[in-house]
Structure formats: C-alpha cells, structure tokens
Amino acid sequence: MTTASPTTTLPLILNGAPHSAVASTLADLVTALGHDPAAVATAVNGEFVPRARRASTKLAPGDNIEIVSPRQGG
C-alpha cells in the first residue's frame, strides 16, 4: 500500500462519495474535516478504526473512509 505525505492530495471515497483530501492519516482527515475526534466513529475500507489508532492509520489513494456521528431523534 502506498501512503502519501501530508501535502499530497488524496482521492478518497468519503461516506460513499468521491472526495479529495490533504491528509496522511485518518486522524489528520478527521481534524481537517472539522469533526470532534471524540464524537465520531471511523472505518477504513470496511474496518472499524478506534480513536487510539487513527493517528497511526495511514491513508492511501482510493481508500473508502466512513466517518459517522451519533444523531438524536428518529
């Protein structure tokens, strides 16, 4: 798997839609998107990634990222 430097724009699939991001790790992406890291759940290519592992989870072009937050109501 090829990883990118923080200044490389990566083509990703984010929550089912094409997206480009300047991030080398999942933690960088969560922060760049303005999410509260404690308030979201994340997965990369279908595998849950706990908050403690986001900083060490490198992103690669074409990764399928899911970032979800709880919602009230229903």
Side-chain angles (χ1 to χ4, degrees):
M1 170 168 61
T2 304
T3 57
S5 72
T7 58
T8 302
T9 300
L10 290 175
L12 303 168
I13 303 298
L14 178 62
N15 295 340
H19 186 81
S20 293
V22 178
S24 62
T25 67
L26 184 56
D28 293 340
L29 180 62
V30 169
T31 300
L33 293 172
H35 294 293
D36 175 356
V40 296
T42 55
V44 176
N45 299 322
E47 292 188 37
F48 172 72
V49 179
R51 186 177 358 154
R53 287 198 357 237
R54 291 179 192 157
S56 64
T57 301
K58 302 291 184 186
L59 300 179
D63 276 349
N64 188 345
I65 312 296
E66 295 288 331
I67 300 175
V68 295
S69 58
R71 296 182 187 208
Q72 285 187 299

